[in-house]
Amino acid sequence: MSKKEFYERKGADKSDSYTIIGGQSNLKAVAKEAKEKGWEEIKGNNDGFNSLQGESAKKDFFSLINANAIVDANGKVINKDIVDPATKIWQTEDYQNPVQKIMNLVQHETGHPKFKTDHPYGSGYHVPNTIMQVLPTRNSTYDSWLLDRLLNIHGSIGEKPNFEN
């Protein structure tokens, strides 16, 4: 869907986020096609999207989620370990099911362009002990600063994300 079509759909708001979930082998082509349709380019990294769980545009409310980072070939949730570059503390994801992981990854990736302003306890991009920490976990959520920022952007906060539109 083009950026123009996305923001012209019925009920659309300028603060809506567009997220595509796809296999790592397809994400590079999806990113290229999205750029051709008016979205900001998402480049991935040196290996494309193979080592990424997700990535977002810097300015557009557009992100990609790597489906291959959610479950393994046996359908078991992949829980990653990573060291937080800011705190140097190892974090381990603790997802029990794929839906938890998908929801947190979507909230995390769509948060990147929305939380640009510096947070009092870390950059607007990676805030320890919140959904915006380097690796969110199933218990990660928003703190009061992030909630205030969402209220400023959206005017209100719904009970749960709307994955229908």
Side-chain angles (χ1 to χ4, degrees):
M1 179 180 291
S2 74
K3 184 175 180 178
K4 185 176 189 274
E5 292 169 325
F6 181 74
Y7 287 110
E8 287 180 348
R9 72 193 199 292
K10 184 180 179 183
D13 186 87
K14 66 183 185 321
S15 62
D16 288 349
S17 298
Y18 185 38
T19 301
I20 297 173
I21 301 173
Q24 64 195 22
S25 60
N26 300 344
L27 289 180
K28 205 163 194 166
V30 168
K32 182 180 178 192
E33 183 180 338
K35 183 178 185 232
E36 292 167 359
K37 291 184 175 190
W39 294 97
E40 182 183 342
E41 182 176 14
I42 297 178
K43 295 182 180 183
N45 57 15
N46 292 339
D47 65 359
F49 292 90
N50 295 346
S51 63
L52 296 174
Q53 296 197 92
E55 188 165 354
S56 64
K58 301 295 180 233
K59 297 176 186 168
D60 279 348
F61 295 160
F62 172 61
S63 57
L64 301 173
I65 303 293
N66 181 357
N68 297 94
I70 302 196
V71 294
D72 63 19
N74 298 317
K76 184 178 181 218
V77 177
I78 299 169
N79 283 306
K80 291 187 123 193
D81 296 323
I82 193 169
V83 67
D84 183 328
T87 64
K88 307 295 184 225
I89 296 171
W90 279 93
Q91 297 178 36
T92 303
E93 294 176 325
D94 61 354
Y95 297 108
Q96 305 296 309
N97 64 65
V99 174
Q100 287 175 335
K101 185 161 187 173
I102 291 168
M103 287 186 67
N104 276 19
L105 286 175
V106 168
Q107 289 174 324
H108 177 88
E109 291 304 333
T110 60
H112 280 300
K114 295 182 181 189
F115 302 128
K116 294 178 209 172
T117 312
D118 283 342
H119 187 283
Y121 303 109
S123 85
Y125 292 107
H126 289 121
V127 181
N129 303 314
T130 71
I131 196 76
M132 293 308 299
Q133 69 187 13
V134 174
L135 271 186
T137 63
R138 70 183 155 117
N139 296 316
S140 297
T141 187
Y142 300 101
D143 67 5
S144 61
W145 186 93
L146 296 172
L147 287 172
D148 286 346
R149 180 79 178 119
L150 286 176
L151 283 168
N152 288 336
I153 293 168
H154 295 288
S156 66
I157 300 172
E159 292 288 319
K160 56 185 174 181
N162 177 358
F163 293 109
E164 305 288 313
N165 296 323

